[in-house]
Amino acid sequence: MLTGAGFTHNIGTPLADGMWVLFFNHPLASEFREIRQALLADYSYESVYQGIIGGDYSPRVKEAINEITMDAYYKIDDMVISYTTSIEPSHRVDKYGLNNFIKLFSGDNNSVGYFFTLNQDLFIERHYCNGQRIEIPHLPILPAPPHSISISASKIAKEDFFPLPDKTELDNQLQSYRKQENFQYIKLHGSCIWKTSQDQNSLVIGTQKSNLIQNEPLLSYYFDVFKKVLFSGNVRLFVIGYGFGDEHINEVIAEAVRSHGLQVLVISPQNPRDFFDMIIEKPSGRIIRDGLIKYYPYTLAELFPCEPGASPHLGDIKQEIS
């Protein structure tokens, strides 16, 4: 499974336009004229972030855009914590039904199941509770399951931040690591509570994502795992909430479709015409479209309603997975 921002948008977190609003409405965007002007000139918050971090701006402006970014993720985490009470019942996702659905992707004694995500929020860490632990692989020193912030209803605190290993530390961990779990949760773009080996936030956002991944040993390793799994032959990739906007991710999916028999299944609330018109405009989109074998135009609230009664669509989807 591969999830993107649309996955947690089902429980109220923002998509790209909503993130831009969080950036623009932040007090520091008004305090720093350069940031406000950049946001007014470009409605992609990722592009603005990259332009400031990589541009000719003062250290204080760069600190400000980093603070704005982290505050946006703190707001998202507030939504994650309170989503069961803050969303109208008809739009709520039954997390227990969703948890059981996620469990379908777990492996068995002979194979490993993979849950890849591009999200940096803590929805899975806070709400995955079906009795089977998801492992954040290759970090054996993390407490389970899979971080101390799991099952906690408190806000993120300074002590929740976890420093990622540098290359030497990671190599040492990999040599001694013995995988015990058959289900691995891999955050390809980092987490809002991870710090890089250079003591910066680990969020992979902006227009230079491939470089950010290559420069961080753990994220580089995760990306290699993603490629290895998709290139292993005749794999099915179930995509939820990803808009196919990341070139480095699309290149791997397209190569797996073209050369390794990958089949792609998608859950998206867009009507089919809009989705297929959209995907062919994305990087490697035509190749990915050729590998798409199933399309389900539903929201997660439609598939996992809190009201009594199962979704009539869910049975067909589960059958495809099994």
Side-chain angles (χ1 to χ4, degrees):
M1 181 160 63
L2 171 68
T3 61
F7 180 76
T8 42
H9 182 61
N10 284 274
I11 58 99
T13 61
L15 296 175
D17 288 347
M19 287 292 287
W20 183 94
V21 171
L22 290 178
F23 275 48
F24 187 76
N25 288 345
H26 195 285
L28 289 176
S30 297
E31 179 180 342
F32 288 88
R33 179 169 156 268
E34 301 96 326
I35 295 176
R36 184 173 183 275
Q37 287 181 332
L39 288 165
L40 288 173
D42 188 342
Y43 291 95
S44 167
Y45 79 95
E46 292 194 78
S47 178
V48 170
Y49 175 87
Q50 186 64 50
I52 292 175
I53 291 298
D56 187 20
Y57 291 87
S58 70
R60 186 64 189 97
V61 172
K62 294 183 179 185
E63 290 173 7
I65 196 65
N66 271 322
E67 184 173 341
I68 289 171
T69 302
M70 292 308 300
D71 283 349
Y73 279 94
Y74 295 151
K75 285 185 179 292
I76 289 173
D77 195 50
D78 288 341
M79 299 173 193
V80 166
I81 292 171
S82 63
Y83 91 96
T84 54
T85 58
S86 65
I87 296 179
E88 291 297 320
S90 61
H91 293 90
R92 288 183 200 160
V93 177
D94 173 21
K95 71 177 182 180
Y96 300 104
L98 180 59
N99 285 340
N100 288 331
F101 178 76
I102 291 172
K103 188 177 180 180
L104 296 176
F105 294 88
S106 62
D108 52 35
N109 291 332
N110 299 315
S111 64
V112 177
Y114 291 93
F115 180 170
F116 297 102
T117 187
L118 305 175
N119 297 341
Q120 296 111 341
D121 61 65
L122 301 176
F123 176 70
I124 293 297
E125 287 88 333
R126 288 192 181 279
H127 292 290
Y128 188 89
C129 54
N130 68 354
Q132 176 168 353
R133 172 184 156 205
I134 285 183
E135 173 188 9
I136 294 185
H138 315 306
L139 283 180
I141 57 176
L142 273 176
H147 186 280
S148 57
I149 201 168
S150 311
I151 72 174
S152 169
S154 61
K155 296 181 182 296
I156 298 172
K158 183 177 180 181
E159 56 268 22
D160 289 315
F161 282 80
F162 188 85
L164 300 185
D166 60 24
K167 189 174 188 312
T168 300
E169 292 170 331
L170 180 62
D171 288 343
N172 289 337
Q173 289 186 18
L174 292 175
Q175 288 178 9
S176 61
Y177 183 56
R178 297 294 181 268
K179 183 186 66 60
Q180 297 177 343
E181 302 298 328
N182 61 2
F183 198 13
Q184 297 193 357
Y185 179 53
I186 298 183
K187 303 184 87 160
L188 293 168
H189 285 174
S191 172
C192 64
I193 57 169
W194 292 357
K195 295 189 297 183
T196 71
S197 51
Q198 286 78 42
D199 202 34
Q200 305 295 319
N201 75 62
S202 76
L203 301 175
V204 179
I205 63 175
T207 57
Q208 302 294 323
K209 291 177 180 176
S210 291
N211 291 337
L212 292 171
I213 289 171
Q214 291 172 8
N215 290 334
E216 185 57 43
L218 181 70
L219 298 182
S220 178
Y221 188 84
Y222 278 177
F223 195 64
D224 287 342
V225 172
F226 181 60
K227 290 189 289 186
K228 181 179 179 180
V229 171
L230 266 60
F231 294 171
S232 61
N234 300 316
V235 170
R236 282 188 164 193
L237 179 67
F238 208 102
V239 179
I240 306 177
Y242 172 47
F244 294 91
D246 287 327
E247 184 173 0
H248 62 296
I249 298 295
N250 289 7
E251 287 177 350
V252 175
I253 297 174
E255 178 60 25
V257 167
R258 182 170 46 223
S259 303
H260 303 282
L262 180 72
Q263 296 179 325
V264 182
L265 303 87
V266 172
I267 291 178
S268 170
Q270 291 178 279
N271 69 61
R273 181 187 297 274
D274 290 345
F275 176 83
F276 283 94
D277 285 347
M278 174 274 292
I279 198 170
I280 62 175
E281 300 298 325
K282 300 297 184 178
S284 306
R286 292 184 181 272
I287 299 173
I288 295 172
R289 180 196 60 178
D290 291 343
L292 204 152
I293 63 165
K294 298 290 180 180
Y295 182 75
Y296 304 102
Y298 312 117
T299 66
L300 292 187
E302 291 174 308
L303 294 175
F304 307 100
C306 286
E307 290 83 358
S311 165
H313 314 293
L314 194 55
D316 290 340
I317 296 175
K318 286 183 175 181
Q319 186 173 359
E320 288 293 337
I321 298 169
S322 60

